[in-house]
Amino acid sequence: MQLKTELYRRLERYVKVDTQSDERSGTFPSTHRQLVLARMLADELRAVGAKKVRLDRYGYVTAEVPATVKGRKPVIGLLAHMDTAPAAPGKGVKPQLHRAWKGGDIVISRRLGVVLNVRGCPELAAHKGEDIVTASGDTLLGADDKAGLAIIMTAAEYLLKHPEVPHGTLKIGFTPDEEVGRGVEHFDVKAFGADAAYTVDGDVTGTVEEETFNADGLTLKVAGKSVHPGSAKNAMANAARVAAEIVASWPENLLPETTEGREGFVMFTDIAAETEKAEVSGIVRDHDLKKLKAMERQLEAIVAAARLKHPLAKIELSFKEQYRNMKAVISRRPEVMSNLLAAVRAAGLTPEIKPVRGGTDGSRLSFMGLPTPNVFTGGYNYHGRYEWVSLDGMNKSLEVLINLARKWAE
Ligand SMILES: [Zn+2]
């Protein structure tokens, strides 16, 4: 299957629409501009012949590709998000296609000195000879996740044009606001009507994801005792210093900047402090829930020691659940992953299962009752000026989706 031209035409069209989301917004979707792309996608779904195309008041675009086989088969959902990350400029994206990359520097912008090569991105090395797409140095590309949109749209068009390919009912869902962590807040899992789903929002070709972090938030509050510093001996408790001491006592090998793979961490994200009171917020992350809880006990022990050392201060530490590792839900339905792995192999690739160091829309959907692993798009270096996607990788991802549709109908 060779649909690279179609994939590129779509990617090019989608990345030119600014769909940056905004974490400070109180509306849903968080930015109005996402609806411009939502309307475009809904029109395009109608044009390729998808059924039940709908754009609802939250900006969710849903549609159906009807089954080509008789009898009750599991209904499979395919999902991608329309927004781009607030972390880098997303307006005025000018995509560039670097055909048949020979292995040297990919000059994204000579003027701005933005050059992509294997030194800066070792993952690129495996993609010699492929067509690489980048932006132009002053914005992100937005392959995260417009590559996903293009892949799903092209898969839908292909299946609608090829009724000889056996598959059950497929549901398509394009969602806003993934990058600000609210992507499925209003998503109606029941109305969507899928038995299992896949987000097409991963990265390097061949990788699939069924595991996310377990995530808790933390709040540390210190109430101090303010006394004139000239007469403070044995009478003052300086909340700012007590809070700083606790933060500095956390082991250096359990921080985001010193961990990778399956290693968990605590990150202190905000400190507001004065003599009378201090408040620290942070996050706790680990793929293993037991290890997450053990890190929390470890921080509690540090706090307990600080209480003994500073009896005049009042110190409170609390944790709040944010999300849980979706593997717990996905592994209850083994065929969700076994069909995906078989589909990746049938595309001629060796699947690599990678733990996500974060959350995905799929983790929330999984706990809403819809098991949803994540499939690669062929892209990398997301959320910045060095973002790239391989058109050949996108084409492989498309093949995986077609194989997956077949697999579920067996
Ligand atoms: Zn994404």
Side-chain angles (χ1 to χ4, degrees), residues 81 83 143-145 178-179 200-202 382-383:
H81 65 89
D83 63 318
D144 174 13
D145 187 22
E178 191 270 351
E179 299 291 359
V200 184
D201 188 22
Y382 290 156
H383 302 185

Side-chain angles (χ1 to χ4, degrees), residues 99 124 196 241 318 320:
R99 281 192 200 277
L124 193 61
R241 216 178 69 80
S318 59
K320 192 166 179 274

Side-chain angles (χ1 to χ4, degrees), residues 161-388:
K161 272 191 190 157
H162 293 270
E164 74 279 9
V165 178
H167 62 82
T169 304
L170 300 174
K171 298 282 186 178
I172 289 167
F174 297 143
T175 60
D177 286 338
E178 191 270 351
E179 299 291 359
V180 293
R182 297 174 58 200
V184 294
E185 206 166 273
H186 299 280
F187 193 75
D188 189 342
V189 168
K190 203 164 167 248
F192 190 54
D195 299 302
Y198 299 87
T199 46
V200 184
D201 188 22
D203 48 42
V204 166
T205 309
T207 57
V208 295
E209 300 164 333
E210 60 166 339
E211 254 198 277
T212 55
F213 273 144
N214 291 291
D216 283 357
L218 78 85
T219 308
L220 174 73
K221 285 185 180 164
V222 182
K225 209 176 148 204
S226 183
V227 179
H228 187 282
S231 53
K233 187 166 184 183
N234 299 325
M236 176 196 274
N238 184 345
R241 216 178 69 80
V242 172
E245 194 179 295
I246 292 169
V247 169
S249 303
W250 182 253
E252 273 194 26
N253 62 338
L254 294 174
L255 299 172
E257 57 268 47
T258 58
T259 51
E260 62 184 355
R262 281 177 192 281
E263 299 162 336
F265 61 78
V266 168
M267 176 184 179
F268 300 98
T269 52
D270 284 281
I271 306 182
E274 50 194 76
T275 312
E276 288 246 286
K277 61 178 194 300
E279 188 165 330
V280 178
S281 22
I283 58 175
V284 190
R285 300 288 189 262
D286 203 293
H287 294 100
D288 182 334
L289 191 55
K290 284 202 194 84
K291 288 186 183 159
L292 180 98
K293 294 291 173 193
M295 275 195 293
E296 292 178 354
R297 298 295 88 79
Q298 196 174 344
L299 186 55
E300 277 168 353
I302 289 170
V303 167
R307 281 190 192 113
L308 291 177
K309 193 174 162 194
H310 306 283
L312 294 175
K314 197 167 162 260
I315 314 174
E316 284 171 66
L317 174 65
S318 59
F319 298 100
K320 192 166 179 274
E321 181 175 325
Q322 290 176 328
Y323 60 85
R324 289 290 172 254
N325 188 344
M326 65 179 173
K327 190 173 184 184
V329 178
I330 293 172
S331 40
R332 270 182 245 145
R333 298 268 309 281
E335 71 277 20
V336 175
M337 275 307 282
S338 63
N339 281 347
L340 175 58
L341 296 177
V344 174
R345 277 188 213 102
L349 300 167
T350 309
E352 191 200 332
I353 304 179
K354 215 176 59 171
V356 186
R357 287 178 69 76
T360 65
D361 274 350
S363 56
R364 286 183 76 175
L365 286 171
S366 293
F367 285 95
M368 286 158 83
L370 183 63
T372 309
N374 193 21
V375 181
F376 67 89
T377 58
Y380 213 72
N381 279 351
Y382 290 156
H383 302 185
R385 296 157 209 261
Y386 289 86
E387 186 181 3
W388 59 273

Side-chain angles (χ1 to χ4, degrees), residues 37-47 53-55 61:
L37 183 58
R39 272 181 227 114
M40 227 168 98
L41 293 168
D43 288 345
E44 193 174 341
L45 281 164
R46 279 185 206 102
V53 179
R54 211 177 150 233
L55 165 56
V61 178

